[in-house]
Amino acid sequence: MKTLEKLSFPKLENEFLENILRQLVNQHTIIQMFFTRQPSFVFSYLIIHIEKNIDAQELQQNKWVKKVRNLYQIDVYFIYSERLHHRFSLGHPFIEFYCQPSSIIYQNKELENSLIIRRDWKKYKKRFNVFQDHFHHDHDLHKSQIQNLISEGSSNSVFTSYARLIEYDLEYLEDLYLGNKSALLSLDERINNLIEYIPDIQKYFVRHSQNKFYLTDLFVKVKEAIADDEAIYKEEMYEAVGIAEQSLYHFIEERFDELKKLIKKGLFERHDVACQIDKKPEDIILNVAIETILNSVEVEQIYLYHHITYHEKTTYYLMLIAMGIGNEKLKLITQSLKSKIEGKYDFVLLSRSRYWIQTNLYQYQSFFSNIIQGKYLAYSSNKYLPEFHWEIPHNPCHADLHFYYKPTKDIALQFFTIANDTRKNYQGLDSLFTLFFMSFCRTYIFIKTYYLPNYLSNQTLWQLCIYADADMKKYNYLIEQFWTDFFPYLDRYMILHHKLSKLNKEEVDQMNFIVEKLMSELHNLVIECRLLLPFEQD
């Protein structure tokens, strides 16, 4: 056996790791070490062939293994002798490539259990095909079972079968990229681990939180429902789950093809990946807006989904996908934008988190699917952000419309009662007018777009009404002819002011006319189009 002083590992180019390996050789029965340097954007592999399984498990848990991985992007994998030779006999492509004689940096010649690969591609090809065919055979069986369950309408079983199939896919991805499976980890942990090797996986799994995903959470809920003898009806998610699973399948096929090429040629092929987004005509105003937003909050994506020009003023409609941006923050950003870009430009900002959108697609998919499109994407923080698991088919409906229309109608009637009071007691009428306007806008937007916005500023709500139906611009003259600045007036009366009303008859008549016109518009839309059941119209 070589002594510590004589051992050196120049191929590693890492003094810290060299010192550790010298100690390993001295303290354990190390048979071989294989090192393969990968291109800079992926991990290099150090495979340590050791005699006993118990030693392999113990050494794999050492802190330095994780440290070397994090600091130097070197993946250290301990494998015991019986397992290594068994995998070699199966034609495992990971072993076939990463344990080539050219990768050996240490070999104990006193031990007889070394692995020396002498076969070329022609001799190995049959084993590779058998190994790959085994994956496809079992995968097709899983898919066939799922299709049968879908045709039977057994939703719970469909999702549990998909969970097993995704777990099967993850096992193969781990095996082909890491040389080892992580069966004891949760699906969330396994997906997160694989992201380091296959960043594109992020595109297909919407996050629930930093370390959890929407689809795996759905699988957990299904298991809980089965335990409680309940059924989960989420047929609209079948295609979304299928897309996620199919993406994993394609990653497995790509890895098989990659290893096949590497083994055949016996050398690395470095691929330059084009990451740029196709350039669009530069919009200086949009660029300033995006820069202002990014200086204020952390955003995943920004979509410019609409813009209109009215009276020489252009309004930009921007959807922000981000965590924790409330109405007040949006208001501050909007004010900052207006202070930087005065005069001819205005901005309508909406913001929702990716997980909130995902969990509310059953209600609002029609709205978001029209916005979240590649042609509208103005900014993205990461090229690996996941796409949404769209519900297919999705049947939009105005669920709970009665609970929005009825209060709006009742507020209008209450307003008319006070506005037409012969004693001219208009106390509280300004607040009631504001309440009506907000209720009208939210209800109108919901009817036209199937989306119920937050309690945004009144101007933003009105601009969303115009986005929902451009014909609503016909009422802009009412706003422009109002005796004072319309939207600041409304915003003022969103807050209680405990003082005497100073409204006069002319001002009340203007407000009254606006309520009449807008209520008539809403009545025609809801009642004449029969969006409510007869008993809901009272």
Side-chain angles (χ1 to χ4, degrees):
M1 184 180 292
K2 295 183 179 180
T3 63
L4 290 180
E5 289 73 26
K6 292 182 180 180
L7 276 180
S8 63
F9 307 94
K11 193 174 180 180
L12 290 176
E13 298 177 355
N14 188 309
E15 186 177 350
F16 171 76
L17 186 54
E18 283 191 39
N19 291 332
I20 292 175
L21 296 186
R22 290 190 189 99
Q23 294 178 21
L24 278 177
V25 171
N26 188 46
Q27 297 172 2
H28 299 274
T29 307
I30 305 296
I31 300 173
Q32 288 170 296
M33 296 183 192
F34 303 88
F35 179 73
T36 306
R37 187 175 299 283
Q38 291 276 49
S40 59
F41 55 87
V42 290
F43 289 95
S44 298
Y45 291 87
L46 174 61
I47 299 173
I48 300 178
H49 178 192
I50 196 166
E51 190 173 49
K52 297 179 181 178
N53 181 26
I54 189 169
D55 290 336
Q57 292 183 21
E58 180 184 334
L59 290 169
Q60 193 70 54
Q61 302 305 315
N62 281 346
K63 292 181 180 179
W64 67 263
V65 172
K66 184 178 291 187
K67 183 176 180 180
V68 166
R69 188 175 187 275
N70 294 337
L71 290 180
Y72 308 114
Q73 286 73 55
I74 297 176
D75 222 341
V76 181
Y77 172 35
F78 287 90
I79 183 168
Y80 67 99
S81 193
E82 184 180 344
R83 180 178 179 82
L84 177 65
H85 284 279
H86 176 66
R87 296 199 141 203
F88 171 71
S89 69
L90 294 176
H92 197 300
F94 181 91
I95 300 299
E96 190 74 19
F97 178 69
Y98 291 105
C99 294
Q100 287 288 323
S102 59
S103 301
I104 296 174
I105 60 171
Y106 169 79
Q107 183 166 323
N108 189 335
K109 295 180 180 179
E110 296 179 10
L111 300 175
E112 299 178 354
N113 224 2
S114 297
L115 174 67
I116 304 296
I117 300 177
R118 295 188 174 91
R119 59 193 179 197
D120 58 15
W121 169 250
K122 289 183 180 180
K123 293 182 179 179
Y124 171 66
K125 180 179 178 181
K126 184 176 180 180
R127 291 183 182 274
F128 177 86
N129 290 337
V130 170
F131 190 93
Q132 190 175 30
D133 289 345
H134 178 76
F135 161 73
H136 287 125
H137 176 267
D138 288 358
H139 184 275
D140 291 345
L141 286 179
H142 278 292
K143 287 296 288 284
S144 177
Q145 180 187 25
I146 290 171
Q147 293 305 317
N148 291 336
L149 291 170
I150 290 175
S151 64
E152 294 170 5
S154 180
S155 60
N156 284 17
S157 297
V158 169
F159 287 117
T160 55
S161 295
Y162 260 127
R164 285 193 293 270
L165 179 53
I166 286 177
E167 185 174 2
Y168 175 77
D169 291 340
L170 293 176
E171 285 181 356
Y172 263 87
L173 282 174
E174 290 169 340
D175 223 9
L176 294 173
Y177 275 96
L178 289 78
N180 196 20
K181 301 174 184 178
S182 306
L184 298 179
L185 299 181
S186 67
L187 290 182
D188 293 304
E189 291 173 305
R190 299 173 83 167
I191 294 169
N192 276 310
N193 288 344
L194 281 166
I195 284 171
E196 295 185 86
Y197 300 86
I198 320 167
D200 277 352
I201 284 182
Q202 298 171 91
K203 296 178 180 178
Y204 302 97
F205 291 91
V206 173
R207 288 190 181 275
H208 173 292
S209 60
Q210 184 64 30
N211 297 312
K212 292 186 176 295
F213 300 92
Y214 175 83
L215 287 185
T216 56
D217 190 41
L218 175 62
F219 295 151
V220 171
K221 290 178 181 177
V222 171
K223 288 183 180 180
E224 292 173 350
I226 292 173
D228 296 335
D229 199 23
E230 296 177 353
I232 283 188
Y233 299 100
K234 276 278 189 180
E235 288 85 354
E236 302 88 349
M237 293 301 297
Y238 288 167
E239 184 160 340
V241 180
I243 290 171
E245 189 283 321
Q246 192 67 18
S247 70
L248 297 180
Y249 175 82
H250 286 315
F251 291 138
I252 294 169
E253 288 195 314
E254 289 175 1
R255 181 59 170 167
F256 270 125
D257 288 341
E258 180 187 30
L259 288 171
K260 180 178 179 179
K261 291 176 182 176
L262 292 172
I263 294 167
K264 286 177 71 174
K265 294 186 177 182
L267 51 85
F268 285 105
E269 294 179 339
R270 190 175 187 130
H271 302 279
D272 294 326
V273 181
C275 302
Q276 73 243 21
I277 299 173
D278 293 338
K279 290 186 178 180
K280 301 175 182 178
E282 186 173 3
D283 186 327
I284 296 175
I285 301 302
L286 178 60
N287 290 342
V288 172
I290 292 173
E291 183 180 356
T292 302
I293 292 168
L294 297 180
N295 287 336
S296 302
V297 290
E298 188 174 340
V299 176
E300 289 184 9
Q301 289 176 317
I302 300 174
Y303 289 86
L304 172 62
Y305 62 94
H306 187 59
H307 68 276
I308 58 172
T309 301
Y310 178 75
H311 286 347
E312 298 185 351
K313 175 174 279 191
T314 300
T315 301
Y316 289 80
Y317 288 74
L318 299 173
M319 164 64 75
L320 283 56
I321 298 183
M323 293 285 291
I325 301 181
N327 292 345
E328 284 302 314
K329 193 66 179 178
L330 288 177
K331 185 178 178 181
L332 290 173
I333 296 172
T334 304
Q335 290 172 348
S336 178
L337 285 170
K338 288 182 177 180
S339 68
K340 290 184 178 182
I341 310 171
E342 297 180 356
K344 295 183 178 181
Y345 302 96
D346 205 352
F347 300 89
V348 177
L349 302 183
L350 296 179
S351 180
R352 290 292 190 180
S353 72
R354 189 172 296 274
Y355 183 70
W356 188 95
I357 295 173
Q358 179 65 63
T359 54
N360 288 276
L361 286 182
Y362 70 98
Q363 285 181 300
Y364 305 138
Q365 178 164 305
S366 293
F367 177 76
F368 287 111
S369 62
N370 286 329
I371 291 175
I372 301 171
Q373 298 185 27
K375 61 183 177 181
Y376 298 139
L377 183 62
Y379 167 81
S380 183
S381 64
N382 186 339
K383 67 177 181 178
Y384 300 115
L385 290 171
E387 296 183 7
F388 288 94
H389 307 301
W390 301 112
E391 295 188 351
I392 302 175
H394 177 75
N395 300 309
C397 64
H398 292 110
D400 298 331
L401 175 58
H402 170 72
F403 295 106
Y404 309 126
Y405 172 74
K406 182 67 164 57
T408 306
K409 179 182 176 182
D410 289 346
I411 293 165
L413 293 174
Q414 190 173 353
F415 176 89
F416 292 143
T417 299
I418 297 176
N420 297 316
D421 187 285
T422 55
R423 297 173 297 172
K424 298 183 180 180
N425 178 6
Y426 303 135
Q427 197 69 33
L429 194 63
D430 26 33
S431 296
L432 204 56
F433 179 67
T434 299
L435 180 58
F436 165 78
F437 187 84
M438 290 187 67
S439 300
F440 164 81
C441 289
R442 296 181 79 241
T443 307
Y444 188 85
I445 294 164
F446 178 58
I447 293 169
K448 287 289 186 175
T449 69
Y450 298 95
Y451 176 64
L452 189 69
N454 274 340
Y455 296 95
L456 303 165
S457 72
N458 290 285
Q459 184 172 2
T460 296
L461 288 172
W462 180 248
Q463 289 166 320
L464 285 173
C465 286
I466 295 173
Y467 163 74
D469 187 348
D471 193 47
M472 288 299 285
K473 287 187 291 187
K474 66 188 178 186
Y475 295 117
N476 273 342
Y477 79 95
L478 296 174
I479 293 170
E480 293 162 1
Q481 294 175 2
F482 204 65
W483 79 85
T484 186
D485 289 339
F486 186 77
F487 294 113
Y489 175 83
L490 292 179
D491 291 342
R492 173 174 171 77
Y493 285 101
M494 290 175 68
I495 303 171
L496 174 65
H497 294 281
H498 190 184
K499 64 178 184 179
L500 290 172
S501 173
K502 294 181 180 180
L503 292 170
N504 59 44
K505 185 67 166 66
E506 290 74 19
E507 293 168 347
V508 171
D509 286 344
Q510 275 192 315
M511 296 163 68
N512 196 72
F513 190 62
I514 291 173
V515 175
E516 285 180 350
K517 286 290 185 182
L518 295 183
M519 196 60 224
S520 175
E521 184 79 27
L522 194 60
H523 174 84
N524 291 335
L525 187 60
V526 175
I527 304 302
E528 301 301 327
C529 295
R530 299 181 180 179
L531 297 180
L532 292 178
L533 298 172
F535 73 88
E536 293 179 318
Q537 297 179 14
D538 297 331

